[in-house]
Amino acid sequence: MLRPKAPVTVYIGLLVYVIAFEIIARMAQSSPFIPYEMGKYLLFLLLVGGILKYKTTAWPAFWMVVLLIPSLFIEKSGEVSFLDVIFNFMGPMNTALAILFFKGKRVSKFMMLHYLRLMIYPMVAVFSFAIFRTPDIQDVEFNLSANSAVAGGFGSNQVSTGLGLAAFFVFIFWINKWRLSGYRMLDTALLMLFTIQGLLTFSRGGMMTGFLGIFVVLYYLRKANAKEIIKYRLVRIGKYLIPAFLLIIGSFFIVNRLTDGLLILRYQGETAGTYAGIKEKSLNIITSGRLDIFLGDLELWADHPVTGVGVAASRYMRDRMKGVVAHVELSRLFAEHGLFGLAYFILLSYYGFKVLRSSLNPAIAGLLFAMYAVGLFTSFHAAMRTFVSPLMIGLSMLTVFERTNSNIAKKKEAEEKIPLSSPN
């Protein structure tokens, strides 16, 4: 892997496969053997190694790295620890490095699908671990809040994010009739299992992120014209829309029935307090306090507009939801990095707009923009605490090409010119 001529496609495959195990390592509580933040450390090292090993063309992303550094030297709360800094700083740093590394790298459609498979496999482990650690469904006490019992006893938000991501990837293979397991019924079963287990966690953010990715892919395929459908051999989305929605809605109603109707109430924003009439439903209640965190961060930014309060200090300084870790990366950037955080987000959005029409093939363009949208939306409910935002945004920067018949012919011709063995 460290050889000078090792292809970048292989390096990306290693990075994708190893980092995707972050959630299962956390679920297994393998620290200190596998540190809790190992995913962040490993992703950082692999990205820096990749940038040094392979040239980059995304120099504007270099300024994203630079813009994050000043806040490391500012700390206005007096309570921030080293682990707090790592917890908050490594996510946006890895996102900037991911853009710097992935942008401009050319991979074939075959390799891109291979990367998706490499991320699905660890999520199968996450699903299996959650299943084995989940008690009998009749013994699980469901209420109108997130449920860690069906998430293997771990944080339901992170497990839901992983399962939602896996459901999104499996759906991409399923709707485009791309080969995953080799058996369409098995792919359908995988899609339903990931969706059902994710919904059972009652953690909405991760599953809504997966559904967002599915919507983006369907939108791109739906707006493809007849010429594009023929040229790129796309599926005619019309006849798959109804089965697709039946799969998703069917999974939802199965879980709703298993939970005695609580799932639909959960997605309507009800809590035990609002359902009993004790509390009034509001946007802050619906978002599980994220609105107050967001507004509290904006108030800090208004008080410290230029430099912010320093990395990880917003948790200790905001008046609203004081002591609660950041859940919305956008407001955390503003509060802790000030104008530098605003400039960072502008550059991040700039790269997102470039992804919109990154490929003439609607299936590939939809996949890439869906990954960017998934990465960005994840940062609005789970900040950048997991590998999802950096890796998804990074992968969306790839240039994906399709191997034509002429490419294959040239490769075969080149292989025929290489002698199989040297003469004695």
mmCIF file of all heavy atoms in Angstrom, residues 179-200:
data_model
loop_
_atom_site.group_PDB
_atom_site.id
_atom_site.type_symbol
_atom_site.label_atom_id
_atom_site.label_comp_id
_atom_site.label_asym_id
_atom_site.label_seq_id
_atom_site.Cartn_x
_atom_site.Cartn_y
_atom_site.Cartn_z
ATOM 1 N N ARG A 179 -25.281 -4.940 -9.458
ATOM 2 C CA ARG A 179 -25.045 -6.199 -8.748
ATOM 3 C C ARG A 179 -24.499 -5.939 -7.342
ATOM 4 O O ARG A 179 -23.466 -5.304 -7.165
ATOM 5 C CB ARG A 179 -24.050 -7.054 -9.545
ATOM 6 C CG ARG A 179 -23.843 -8.452 -8.988
ATOM 7 C CD ARG A 179 -22.841 -9.213 -9.856
ATOM 8 N NE ARG A 179 -22.625 -10.563 -9.385
ATOM 9 C CZ ARG A 179 -23.366 -11.587 -9.731
ATOM 10 N NH1 ARG A 179 -24.362 -11.409 -10.577
ATOM 11 N NH2 ARG A 179 -23.105 -12.800 -9.267
ATOM 12 N N LEU A 180 -25.188 -6.426 -6.336
ATOM 13 C CA LEU A 180 -24.713 -6.343 -4.953
ATOM 14 C C LEU A 180 -24.423 -7.743 -4.425
ATOM 15 O O LEU A 180 -23.292 -8.173 -4.383
ATOM 16 C CB LEU A 180 -25.746 -5.627 -4.070
ATOM 17 C CG LEU A 180 -25.389 -5.505 -2.583
ATOM 18 C CD1 LEU A 180 -24.070 -4.765 -2.402
ATOM 19 C CD2 LEU A 180 -26.503 -4.787 -1.811
ATOM 20 N N SER A 181 -25.478 -8.462 -4.036
ATOM 21 C CA SER A 181 -25.286 -9.837 -3.554
ATOM 22 C C SER A 181 -25.341 -10.846 -4.695
ATOM 23 O O SER A 181 -24.867 -11.969 -4.555
ATOM 24 C CB SER A 181 -26.359 -10.181 -2.522
ATOM 25 O OG SER A 181 -27.637 -10.216 -3.140
ATOM 26 N N GLY A 182 -25.935 -10.436 -5.818
ATOM 27 C CA GLY A 182 -26.128 -11.365 -6.924
ATOM 28 C C GLY A 182 -27.543 -11.908 -6.974
ATOM 29 O O GLY A 182 -27.939 -12.529 -7.949
ATOM 30 N N TYR A 183 -28.308 -11.663 -5.902
ATOM 31 C CA TYR A 183 -29.692 -12.139 -5.833
ATOM 32 C C TYR A 183 -30.594 -10.954 -5.474
ATOM 33 O O TYR A 183 -30.444 -10.353 -4.395
ATOM 34 C CB TYR A 183 -29.847 -13.242 -4.787
ATOM 35 C CG TYR A 183 -28.998 -14.452 -5.077
ATOM 36 C CD1 TYR A 183 -27.725 -14.570 -4.499
ATOM 37 C CD2 TYR A 183 -29.448 -15.462 -5.931
ATOM 38 C CE1 TYR A 183 -26.932 -15.679 -4.761
ATOM 39 C CE2 TYR A 183 -28.657 -16.567 -6.198
ATOM 40 C CZ TYR A 183 -27.404 -16.669 -5.618
ATOM 41 O OH TYR A 183 -26.621 -17.756 -5.886
ATOM 42 N N ARG A 184 -31.508 -10.629 -6.350
ATOM 43 C CA ARG A 184 -32.342 -9.444 -6.148
ATOM 44 C C ARG A 184 -33.215 -9.579 -4.898
ATOM 45 O O ARG A 184 -33.432 -8.594 -4.182
ATOM 46 C CB ARG A 184 -33.208 -9.200 -7.385
ATOM 47 C CG ARG A 184 -33.898 -7.836 -7.362
ATOM 48 C CD ARG A 184 -34.283 -7.385 -8.745
ATOM 49 N NE ARG A 184 -34.985 -6.125 -8.747
ATOM 50 C CZ ARG A 184 -34.394 -4.936 -8.654
ATOM 51 N NH1 ARG A 184 -33.083 -4.867 -8.543
ATOM 52 N NH2 ARG A 184 -35.101 -3.820 -8.668
ATOM 53 N N MET A 185 -33.705 -10.772 -4.609
ATOM 54 C CA MET A 185 -34.527 -10.965 -3.422
ATOM 55 C C MET A 185 -33.713 -10.740 -2.151
ATOM 56 O O MET A 185 -34.211 -10.186 -1.169
ATOM 57 C CB MET A 185 -35.137 -12.369 -3.422
ATOM 58 C CG MET A 185 -36.224 -12.577 -4.472
ATOM 59 S SD MET A 185 -37.606 -11.419 -4.259
ATOM 60 C CE MET A 185 -38.226 -11.932 -2.661
ATOM 61 N N LEU A 186 -32.446 -11.159 -2.175
ATOM 62 C CA LEU A 186 -31.587 -10.942 -1.018
ATOM 63 C C LEU A 186 -31.295 -9.452 -0.832
ATOM 64 O O LEU A 186 -31.280 -8.952 0.301
ATOM 65 C CB LEU A 186 -30.274 -11.722 -1.178
ATOM 66 C CG LEU A 186 -29.259 -11.603 -0.029
ATOM 67 C CD1 LEU A 186 -29.896 -12.010 1.306
ATOM 68 C CD2 LEU A 186 -28.029 -12.467 -0.312
ATOM 69 N N ASP A 187 -31.085 -8.739 -1.943
ATOM 70 C CA ASP A 187 -30.884 -7.294 -1.861
ATOM 71 C C ASP A 187 -32.127 -6.610 -1.281
ATOM 72 O O ASP A 187 -32.012 -5.691 -0.462
ATOM 73 C CB ASP A 187 -30.589 -6.714 -3.248
ATOM 74 C CG ASP A 187 -29.260 -7.194 -3.814
ATOM 75 O OD1 ASP A 187 -28.468 -7.779 -3.044
ATOM 76 O OD2 ASP A 187 -29.026 -6.998 -5.020
ATOM 77 N N THR A 188 -33.307 -7.068 -1.704
ATOM 78 C CA THR A 188 -34.556 -6.513 -1.179
ATOM 79 C C THR A 188 -34.676 -6.762 0.315
ATOM 80 O O THR A 188 -35.074 -5.876 1.089
ATOM 81 C CB THR A 188 -35.767 -7.127 -1.906
ATOM 82 O OG1 THR A 188 -35.623 -6.941 -3.320
ATOM 83 C CG2 THR A 188 -37.071 -6.503 -1.435
ATOM 84 N N ALA A 189 -34.314 -7.992 0.735
ATOM 85 C CA ALA A 189 -34.370 -8.336 2.159
ATOM 86 C C ALA A 189 -33.401 -7.473 2.964
ATOM 87 O O ALA A 189 -33.738 -6.998 4.053
ATOM 88 C CB ALA A 189 -34.046 -9.821 2.347
ATOM 89 N N LEU A 190 -32.180 -7.254 2.425
ATOM 90 C CA LEU A 190 -31.199 -6.405 3.109
ATOM 91 C C LEU A 190 -31.729 -4.979 3.283
ATOM 92 O O LEU A 190 -31.590 -4.381 4.354
ATOM 93 C CB LEU A 190 -29.884 -6.372 2.320
ATOM 94 C CG LEU A 190 -28.896 -7.508 2.525
ATOM 95 C CD1 LEU A 190 -27.720 -7.358 1.568
ATOM 96 C CD2 LEU A 190 -28.395 -7.530 3.966
ATOM 97 N N LEU A 191 -32.353 -4.458 2.230
ATOM 98 C CA LEU A 191 -32.902 -3.111 2.286
ATOM 99 C C LEU A 191 -33.958 -3.003 3.382
ATOM 100 O O LEU A 191 -33.958 -2.052 4.184
ATOM 101 C CB LEU A 191 -33.508 -2.741 0.927
ATOM 102 C CG LEU A 191 -34.237 -1.400 0.829
ATOM 103 C CD1 LEU A 191 -33.312 -0.255 1.220
ATOM 104 C CD2 LEU A 191 -34.781 -1.199 -0.586
ATOM 105 N N MET A 192 -34.842 -3.984 3.463
ATOM 106 C CA MET A 192 -35.896 -3.957 4.467
ATOM 107 C C MET A 192 -35.335 -4.135 5.878
ATOM 108 O O MET A 192 -35.763 -3.460 6.813
ATOM 109 C CB MET A 192 -36.943 -5.029 4.164
ATOM 110 C CG MET A 192 -37.782 -4.761 2.939
ATOM 111 S SD MET A 192 -39.240 -5.825 2.837
ATOM 112 C CE MET A 192 -40.223 -5.226 4.212
ATOM 113 N N LEU A 193 -34.344 -5.026 6.035
ATOM 114 C CA LEU A 193 -33.775 -5.276 7.364
ATOM 115 C C LEU A 193 -33.057 -4.052 7.908
ATOM 116 O O LEU A 193 -33.216 -3.694 9.079
ATOM 117 C CB LEU A 193 -32.823 -6.474 7.303
ATOM 118 C CG LEU A 193 -33.479 -7.842 7.115
ATOM 119 C CD1 LEU A 193 -32.433 -8.916 6.877
ATOM 120 C CD2 LEU A 193 -34.338 -8.195 8.333
ATOM 121 N N PHE A 194 -32.242 -3.410 7.065
ATOM 122 C CA PHE A 194 -31.560 -2.188 7.502
ATOM 123 C C PHE A 194 -32.586 -1.111 7.879
ATOM 124 O O PHE A 194 -32.425 -0.412 8.889
ATOM 125 C CB PHE A 194 -30.651 -1.659 6.389
ATOM 126 C CG PHE A 194 -29.339 -2.381 6.265
ATOM 127 C CD1 PHE A 194 -28.876 -2.791 5.024
ATOM 128 C CD2 PHE A 194 -28.565 -2.637 7.386
ATOM 129 C CE1 PHE A 194 -27.661 -3.454 4.898
ATOM 130 C CE2 PHE A 194 -27.344 -3.300 7.270
ATOM 131 C CZ PHE A 194 -26.892 -3.703 6.026
ATOM 132 N N THR A 195 -33.637 -0.989 7.058
ATOM 133 C CA THR A 195 -34.651 0.044 7.299
ATOM 134 C C THR A 195 -35.424 -0.237 8.580
ATOM 135 O O THR A 195 -35.626 0.665 9.410
ATOM 136 C CB THR A 195 -35.622 0.128 6.105
ATOM 137 O OG1 THR A 195 -34.888 0.374 4.906
ATOM 138 C CG2 THR A 195 -36.627 1.253 6.308
ATOM 139 N N ILE A 196 -35.842 -1.481 8.767
ATOM 140 C CA ILE A 196 -36.639 -1.834 9.953
ATOM 141 C C ILE A 196 -35.833 -1.642 11.234
ATOM 142 O O ILE A 196 -36.308 -1.043 12.201
ATOM 143 C CB ILE A 196 -37.153 -3.279 9.834
ATOM 144 C CG1 ILE A 196 -38.248 -3.355 8.761
ATOM 145 C CG2 ILE A 196 -37.693 -3.784 11.175
ATOM 146 C CD1 ILE A 196 -38.690 -4.771 8.418
ATOM 147 N N GLN A 197 -34.578 -2.143 11.249
ATOM 148 C CA GLN A 197 -33.770 -1.999 12.458
ATOM 149 C C GLN A 197 -33.456 -0.532 12.745
ATOM 150 O O GLN A 197 -33.448 -0.103 13.893
ATOM 151 C CB GLN A 197 -32.470 -2.798 12.314
ATOM 152 C CG GLN A 197 -31.667 -2.940 13.606
ATOM 153 C CD GLN A 197 -32.378 -3.796 14.642
ATOM 154 O OE1 GLN A 197 -33.207 -4.636 14.303
ATOM 155 N NE2 GLN A 197 -32.052 -3.595 15.918
ATOM 156 N N GLY A 198 -33.213 0.236 11.691
ATOM 157 C CA GLY A 198 -32.958 1.659 11.869
ATOM 158 C C GLY A 198 -34.172 2.385 12.429
ATOM 159 O O GLY A 198 -34.048 3.240 13.317
ATOM 160 N N LEU A 199 -35.359 2.053 11.927
ATOM 161 C CA LEU A 199 -36.583 2.685 12.422
ATOM 162 C C LEU A 199 -36.860 2.300 13.873
ATOM 163 O O LEU A 199 -37.370 3.110 14.656
ATOM 164 C CB LEU A 199 -37.773 2.292 11.544
ATOM 165 C CG LEU A 199 -37.801 2.888 10.133
ATOM 166 C CD1 LEU A 199 -38.924 2.253 9.308
ATOM 167 C CD2 LEU A 199 -37.977 4.404 10.174
ATOM 168 N N LEU A 200 -36.503 1.064 14.252
ATOM 169 C CA LEU A 200 -36.740 0.604 15.622
ATOM 170 C C LEU A 200 -35.941 1.392 16.656
ATOM 171 O O LEU A 200 -36.328 1.439 17.833
ATOM 172 C CB LEU A 200 -36.406 -0.886 15.749
ATOM 173 C CG LEU A 200 -37.453 -1.871 15.220
ATOM 174 C CD1 LEU A 200 -36.888 -3.281 15.184
ATOM 175 C CD2 LEU A 200 -38.718 -1.823 16.082
#
